[in-house]
Amino acid sequence: ALPILLNLDRQALAACCEQAAQLGCVQICNYNCPGQLVIGGEKAAVEQAAALAKEAGAMIDAQEFLGRAVAAETIGAAEVVDRESDDDDVDACREAALRPQGRAAAFGNLGMLNALTEHFDEAQGYFEQARELYDGINAVRGRAEIDNQLGLLEILRRNFSRAEKYLQTAAQGHEQADSLPGLALNAELFSYLEAARNRHVLSRRYAEKAEELYRRIGNESARLESLYLQAEAWYAGKKDKKAETVLRRIIQEAGGHSTSFHIANAYSLL
């Protein structure tokens, strides 16, 4: 079983896997990109971890989420709740539809779903609606988060100059909002961008910046992910020994982590 989970950070999902491990082996097995994670393992344990993740706010069935979000936006949350008043997910959609910040976050999630399924034009439209809502309530951090997502969208489109502009704007917003998590993700996305441009030294430097920021905020899983980016940059720059050193760091430093994914993946890359 390999369900894809959306809208939950790595630490929270790892905690769900740890809770479900009493039923069998389950762990995060792939980090597709920020906001999209995959878990795998024994069926019963995976199902339990997925259920716990959904309780924590993850979106598991993308089509279900899309349908509910669009319904709440187009026909009104009150009508949705009248028809399905016993559904907590619908209650969440109602609240999202009634609050500008919640609606903006919903549009951001819709944009990410469309970006990851390569519906780029639709993703752009949702992101622009989210930006407009955040601008309307002067939510600097929210706007910066959307600019990060737009940067990722343009990386996927391989429009690197536009991606750079979005990420630069996002960095300024996160600095203004004093958001270390936003700056950490921004540095990680810049590392992906420079890797796609074959600028391996810059990619590594951004990955090192991301590692330090993730260390400061205590996001160990994301910090280890930034080490992978460093190893990949060293390897792409034909510095095999440097890459090996970083991968061995992951094996050593991930020993106390809640899953064995990082250790196994580092051995695989070695």
Side-chain angles (χ1 to χ4, degrees):
L2 292 167
I4 298 173
L5 295 105
L6 305 157
N7 199 39
L8 195 67
D9 66 35
R10 285 172 274 205
Q11 283 185 314
L13 183 55
C16 294
C17 290
E18 188 172 13
Q19 285 183 258
Q22 58 186 338
L23 299 178
C25 177
V26 57
Q27 63 185 38
I28 302 173
C29 60
N30 198 26
Y31 297 90
N32 289 348
C33 74
Q36 188 189 57
L37 308 174
V38 182
I39 61 174
E42 297 177 60
K43 188 174 185 293
V46 169
E47 289 177 350
Q48 177 66 12
L52 292 169
K54 191 169 183 179
E55 290 178 5
M59 300 298 176
I60 299 173
D61 185 336
Q63 290 302 316
E64 176 187 359
F65 172 59
L66 283 168
R68 294 191 185 283
V70 171
E73 180 60 29
T74 58
I75 66 175
E79 294 180 31
V80 175
V81 174
D82 285 342
R83 290 200 306 271
E84 303 182 56
S85 59
D86 61 337
D87 192 328
D88 291 339
D89 290 340
V90 176
D91 288 339
C93 284
R94 178 192 61 181
E95 293 179 8
L98 295 176
R99 296 195 312 270
Q101 191 159 358
R103 290 178 63 200
F107 280 129
N109 286 332
L110 286 165
M112 185 60 69
L113 283 169
N114 278 275
L116 296 175
T117 53
E118 299 186 0
H119 296 103
F120 297 140
D121 291 340
E122 292 87 344
Q124 180 83 31
Y126 283 122
F127 287 143
E128 293 296 345
Q129 289 181 79
R131 288 177 82 192
E132 183 177 348
L133 285 165
Y134 281 130
D135 284 342
I137 58 175
N138 196 30
V140 175
R141 179 174 177 175
R143 166 66 184 266
E145 289 173 352
I146 294 299
D147 284 330
N148 264 345
Q149 292 175 327
L150 282 163
L152 176 60
L153 172 64
E154 296 302 336
I155 293 172
L156 295 173
R157 281 173 158 168
R158 301 193 66 79
N159 192 337
F160 299 143
S161 60
R162 285 178 61 85
E164 183 175 12
K165 290 178 182 178
Y166 280 127
L167 293 178
Q168 287 173 342
T169 302
Q172 293 169 2
H174 283 303
E175 286 174 359
Q176 183 180 344
D178 196 25
S179 171
L180 291 183
L183 287 169
L185 176 59
N186 183 261
E188 185 177 347
L189 291 172
F190 260 119
S191 181
Y192 282 118
L193 171 62
E194 298 304 345
R197 286 171 154 174
N198 293 318
R199 298 177 179 178
H200 308 304
V201 174
L202 281 175
S203 178
R204 175 174 54 80
R205 288 175 180 170
Y206 277 116
E208 289 170 348
K209 179 180 179 180
E211 180 198 1
E212 177 56 28
L213 288 168
Y214 283 130
R215 186 195 303 277
R216 288 172 61 186
I217 63 178
N219 191 334
E220 184 65 5
S221 184
R223 186 186 71 82
L224 293 170
E225 187 74 9
S226 69
L227 286 175
Y228 287 123
L229 292 175
Q230 293 175 43
E232 289 171 358
W234 282 121
Y235 181 75
K238 302 188 185 303
K239 302 289 185 179
D240 294 1
K241 290 295 184 183
K242 294 282 190 180
E244 180 180 350
T245 298
V246 174
L247 291 172
R248 294 196 180 281
R249 271 189 63 197
I250 294 171
I251 294 169
Q252 181 180 5
E253 296 176 16
H257 197 57
S258 58
T259 75
S260 60
F261 167 79
H262 294 95
I263 297 173
N265 199 40
Y267 275 121
S268 176
L269 291 173
L270 280 169

